[in-house]
Amino acid sequence: MDKKSIFLALFIFIIIAFAFYFSSEEIPTMPQAPEPAAEEKPAAELKEVNFYIYNEAENQKLKLISAEVENFKNDDRLELEPVEVEVYDLQTEELLYTLDGKAGTYYPQREYLEVRGQVVVESERYLILADELDYVMQKDYLEGRGNVSLKGQDFNSTAEFFSSNLKLEELNLSKKNKKEQAVIKFQDLQQDIKAEESNNE
Amino acid sequence: ERELTGDQLDLKESSAGQIVVATGQVELIYDQLRITAEDEGIYRRFNGEVEFRKNVEFFYQEYEGQAVELTGNLKTEILHLKKDAQIKGPNSYLEADKIDFYQAEDRIEVKGSAYLEYNDFWAKADQITYYLEREMIYLTGNVEGERNGESFTAQKAEINQQTEEVQLQGQAQITLPKNEQADSDVEAQTDAN
């Protein structure tokens, strides 16, 4: 083998070495898939349950009703499916409104209730529908999101988002990041006719 | 059709009744009336009162108007346009500090640096009252204006749009256009010779 061919062989060897080195760099070594955390088992599984939650700050008492409740103690979490809530005035025991959904999660320590799936809030004044709702007792605040529809005696409105205090007194609807605006449609006619009739008497 | 839209709506239940506050690109449609505003619109449903702020425009039948602010009452059909108020009709234009539009009475009250344009006619006055149905316009206080080159001043002026007559009252003065003045001077001289 003359000098030339040795040199050529050496050169080819170096090229291969480099190629091998760089290609091994690119191949990301797949991180080891983490061991799936052992699915936490509920401390208790209960059927046909109802229990009360007292919200002294807002002078309210909530009765939670559910066909199936799973209590995850370590997580401070109760899973309810479905979930029905009756909100009462603590003093007068008057039913203020009801709140239903396909499923709910209650966090006792945080006094926080999540309601998910076909949420319906019904009071004497309003019927509110939304995809999901969060009920925050410590902040006297509730918030609904997704396909919000709100019906009153003589109006109905639609929005992407709504919020209110826990007495459902002041409602705020907004388009959030959707294109369509919040809309309220009035059916004043009944009111006007009544007003006119009373004027004519 | 009666609806209110906005980026955000606040529904409040006061002891008197429901109050709706819309903010952000507001629009109210109320039968033949349409009002838009950039900032805010408030509608007190129990008494019909409304308030709109910033770049307010309204559209009613063949009239449209704009102002910085608009207040009024949907039940009594009265609108008050405030600050840089304007109303455009099929053949007239009004501008003032404040314009009150009485829809039910087909009457417009224009106050504060009131200005009117109508066909070939313009005029300024302290106050202008426009009866749309009767097609009568009344100007009062420091009236000045011009029509086909003839300028005039008076304390009062009355315009009948149907007959196209303009009546001036109180220190009324008409100044003919330059060329007409020259002709009338020549005529005067030839009469004299």
Side-chain angles (χ1 to χ4, degrees):
Chain A
M1 261 181 145
D2 61 358
K3 262 187 183 170
K4 219 180 206 176
S5 52
I6 293 168
F7 179 70
L8 191 61
L10 195 62
F11 178 70
I12 291 166
F13 174 74
I14 291 168
I15 294 292
I16 291 166
F18 266 112
F20 182 73
Y21 172 72
F22 279 114
S23 64
S24 70
E25 267 294 78
E26 269 151 32
I27 301 165
T29 48
M30 289 301 293
Q32 281 289 349
E35 283 287 319
E39 174 82 19
E40 190 201 344
K41 285 248 177 290
E45 287 183 25
L46 311 158
K47 303 280 184 196
E48 303 307 330
V49 178
N50 67 67
F51 58 95
Y52 285 90
I53 304 169
Y54 290 84
N55 182 355
E56 263 92 18
E58 296 316 318
N59 187 36
Q60 287 179 350
K61 167 174 81 170
L62 279 66
K63 179 180 181 182
L64 276 72
I65 306 153
S66 184
E68 275 181 36
V69 174
E70 291 178 336
N71 183 3
F72 297 85
K73 270 219 169 93
N74 303 345
D75 254 6
D76 168 43
R77 169 170 61 96
L78 288 156
E79 299 288 349
L80 303 91
E81 194 165 347
V83 61
E84 287 172 55
V85 184
E86 294 170 356
V87 181
Y88 294 90
D89 179 291
L90 201 51
Q91 242 78 50
T92 62
E93 296 275 342
E94 176 203 356
L95 175 62
L96 301 174
Y97 53 90
T98 61
L99 219 167
D100 303 346
K102 285 181 83 174
T105 306
Y106 176 57
Y107 302 90
Q109 296 298 326
R110 287 158 53 195
E111 293 184 308
Y112 190 100
L113 173 64
E114 288 173 353
V115 184
R116 297 293 182 261
Q118 291 164 14
V119 177
V120 178
V121 182
E122 199 162 354
S123 72
E124 201 183 300
R125 186 175 269 153
Y126 303 125
L127 173 66
I128 309 170
L129 310 178
D131 292 343
E132 52 185 49
L133 181 135
D134 291 346
Y135 193 93
V136 190
M137 283 178 245
Q138 290 172 352
K139 290 188 184 153
D140 182 23
Y141 175 80
L142 65 85
E143 168 184 315
R145 297 175 296 272
N147 303 302
V148 173
S149 145
L150 185 143
K151 286 189 170 42
Q153 276 137 12
D154 57 1
F155 72 89
N156 63 73
S157 53
T158 54
E160 181 54 18
F161 168 94
F162 91 94
S163 64
S164 161
N165 61 15
L166 295 183
K167 292 189 177 67
L168 287 184
E169 282 159 345
E170 299 201 359
L171 286 109
N172 167 284
L173 296 101
S174 69
K175 67 172 191 174
K176 213 62 179 183
N177 37 29
K178 280 277 178 156
K179 207 159 52 66
E180 305 86 35
Q181 287 189 299
V183 187
I184 180 165
K185 291 181 188 289
F186 306 109
Q187 292 112 28
D188 279 348
L189 296 184
Q190 292 79 1
Q191 238 174 340
D192 288 350
I193 294 158
K194 251 184 253 148
E196 267 143 35
E197 276 159 12
S198 64
N199 292 345
N200 301 338
E201 271 148 19
Chain B
E1 190 189 4
R2 294 174 175 182
E3 70 176 46
L4 180 61
T5 57
D7 290 344
Q8 186 163 302
L9 296 174
D10 286 315
L11 274 61
K12 293 180 183 142
E13 297 294 339
S14 73
S15 51
Q18 189 180 55
I19 301 169
V20 187
V21 179
T23 47
Q25 304 315 310
V26 177
E27 178 182 51
L28 171 76
I29 294 173
Y30 194 91
D31 302 339
Q32 294 181 71
L33 175 64
R34 177 167 160 259
I35 302 174
T36 62
E38 210 172 293
D39 258 11
E40 182 184 58
I42 301 172
Y43 175 24
R44 294 184 184 82
R45 293 195 60 202
F46 51 90
N47 61 11
E49 281 175 6
V50 285
E51 292 173 39
F52 288 84
R53 266 176 265 288
K54 201 180 177 190
N55 287 346
V56 184
E57 291 184 323
F58 88 85
F59 307 87
Y60 176 72
Q61 295 175 345
E62 336 93 293
Y63 292 87
E64 57 183 78
Q66 66 184 61
V68 172
E69 247 177 65
L70 180 151
T71 60
N73 193 304
L74 299 176
K75 289 186 188 275
T76 56
E77 295 185 287
I78 299 172
L79 300 179
H80 306 292
L81 297 158
K82 296 174 187 166
K83 297 177 199 159
D84 308 332
Q86 301 170 22
I87 288 188
K88 224 180 279 175
N91 51 24
S92 56
Y93 169 75
L94 291 156
E95 192 180 286
D97 301 335
K98 187 170 182 284
I99 298 180
D100 302 326
F101 190 4
Y102 299 84
Q103 295 162 256
E105 298 163 38
D106 278 324
R107 172 165 56 95
I108 299 176
E109 300 272 355
V110 190
K111 294 170 184 137
S113 316
Y115 173 80
L116 160 73
E117 267 178 23
Y118 152 67
N119 291 350
D120 52 7
F121 176 98
W122 67 263
K124 288 184 190 172
D126 294 341
Q127 178 164 329
I128 298 174
T129 304
Y130 190 167
Y131 292 92
L132 307 171
E133 196 68 31
R134 287 165 37 205
E135 293 185 285
M136 287 297 294
I137 306 173
Y138 300 89
L139 297 86
T140 51
N142 301 305
V143 178
E144 66 168 288
E146 195 178 293
R147 183 185 189 198
N148 298 333
E150 289 173 1
S151 57
F152 57 84
T153 59
Q155 274 314 303
K156 283 187 181 178
E158 205 179 279
I159 304 159
N160 185 324
Q161 287 183 292
Q162 291 178 27
T163 61
E164 301 262 337
E165 281 172 12
V166 177
Q167 281 185 16
L168 302 176
Q169 297 162 36
Q171 298 140 25
Q173 188 176 344
I174 293 180
T175 309
L176 301 176
K178 287 276 178 312
N179 46 13
E180 272 187 40
Q181 257 180 33
D183 296 350
S184 65
D185 290 349
V186 166
E187 269 163 35
Q189 261 171 9
T190 50
D191 292 349
N193 296 342

